[in-house]
Amino acid sequence: MTRSRADTSRSDADLVRINRGFYESLWSAARLIGPERFNTWPLSRELAEAAPRRLEVAPGLRPRLPLAGTCFVDLSHAALRRLRAGGGNAIHGMIGQLPCADASFDLVCALDILEHVADDDGALAELARVAAPGASVLLSVPLHPQAWTAFDEFVGHYRRYEPAEILARLAAHGFVLEQSAVYGMQPGSSRLLALGQWYLTHQRERAMWWYNRVFMPIGLRFQKPLQWHAGLGDTAGVDEVLLRCTYRPATAPSH
């Protein structure tokens, strides 16, 4: 039976605990990979060059914005140490309560984050709070609740989004979608996912070695180039989508 989302009785505190446990272990055994190694780099570099004040939320050790000159906020102390060593300004915090001033960034990046929190409206409100009017906002989310697998729950996901749902939530917080790119396809092998989950559960150290030394380098080598499309394109069969928005807050009513 396919589940549309994880157990909705889980609180943000439960999700923080699950995510901290999984990702602290992951980042403790991982190496920092610079943003230029990812297929997001041609897109994010262009945005970063036009934005002197930049924030990336929860990048772990896979930042997509330039290390120098970017503020990073993450829960993982292992990730924070390595980000700082790489030249980043890294601060401990979480998306629901960002340790940043209002309207302080021209570019805000939060990839693979919204699906991890129970209160995604609160998270979007925080991103809107720290974004300056006219700021670019780069997000990514998994799509299609019917594509839910046990692996979603294992890695701390709370939901997958219907395309219309994520657009409505973004618009409610002042984020205007400008462009999107196909960021992933639905995995073709449920057996492979189950095998990976088993190893991560029962032989985590060995699984982390294979992930960091073998699968991650192979994945980087075979990344497909990303291409922007106006608005939200055809999402049939798309596992994850990358979104570029502009923050346009509602005009305050005149008195």
Side-chain angles (χ1 to χ4, degrees):
M1 178 179 177
T2 300
R3 298 179 64 187
S4 62
R5 62 175 60 187
D7 180 1
T8 54
S9 67
R10 292 193 301 178
S11 66
D12 263 329
D14 294 328
L15 289 163
V16 167
R17 176 180 52 79
I18 292 167
N19 281 292
R20 179 182 283 131
F22 180 84
Y23 288 100
E24 189 69 30
S25 176
L26 175 64
W27 302 138
S28 294
R31 298 173 178 175
L32 176 65
I33 298 178
E36 68 281 352
R37 300 284 304 281
F38 293 96
N39 61 354
T40 49
W41 180 239
L43 310 181
S44 61
R45 177 178 58 184
E46 182 178 353
L47 293 171
E49 288 173 349
R53 302 177 300 169
R54 305 185 298 267
L55 169 69
E56 185 168 357
V57 182
L61 293 179
R62 308 291 184 258
R64 305 308 170 92
L65 298 185
L67 287 165
T70 299
C71 176
F72 298 97
V73 174
D74 204 287
L75 271 178
S76 168
H77 292 286
L80 292 172
R81 287 193 296 270
R82 289 178 173 86
L83 289 167
R84 289 170 187 147
N89 173 23
I91 305 170
H92 187 260
M94 57 191 301
I95 194 170
Q97 193 173 2
L98 294 169
C100 308
D102 295 358
S104 53
F105 296 102
D106 308 299
L107 172 59
V108 176
C109 179
L111 304 187
D112 305 315
I113 306 303
L114 292 179
E115 65 270 23
H116 287 270
V117 297
D119 183 11
D120 55 347
D121 275 317
L124 286 169
E126 272 294 273
L127 295 179
R129 181 183 66 79
V130 301
S136 293
V137 181
L138 198 60
L139 304 165
S140 69
V141 294
L143 298 178
H144 308 303
Q146 65 271 22
W148 183 272
T149 70
F151 197 75
D152 285 284
E153 190 160 358
F154 180 73
V155 299
H157 289 178
Y158 186 79
R159 68 179 65 75
R160 284 175 170 265
Y161 289 93
E162 293 289 1
E165 177 189 8
I166 186 60
L167 292 183
R169 287 185 181 274
L170 290 172
H173 292 278
F175 299 117
V176 178
L177 179 64
E178 307 287 357
Q179 295 174 303
S180 66
V182 174
Y183 196 41
M185 302 302 291
Q186 292 179 10
S189 173
S190 59
R191 290 183 179 181
L192 186 60
L193 284 176
L195 180 63
Q197 183 175 333
W198 187 91
Y199 270 98
L200 284 167
T201 302
H202 300 284
Q203 297 188 24
R204 177 162 291 193
E205 185 175 346
R206 184 179 180 186
M208 290 296 99
W209 188 94
W210 277 93
Y211 173 78
N212 288 305
R213 302 297 180 90
V214 179
F215 297 123
M216 190 68 191
I218 290 174
L220 289 171
R221 182 177 293 272
F222 290 100
Q223 292 176 103
K224 294 182 179 180
L226 297 178
Q227 183 177 356
W228 285 129
H229 299 278
L232 185 65
D234 183 7
T235 59
V238 174
D239 185 60
E240 191 170 7
V241 66
L242 183 68
L243 307 168
R244 184 183 74 82
C245 304
T246 300
Y247 177 53
R248 296 177 180 162
T251 303
S254 58
H255 297 284

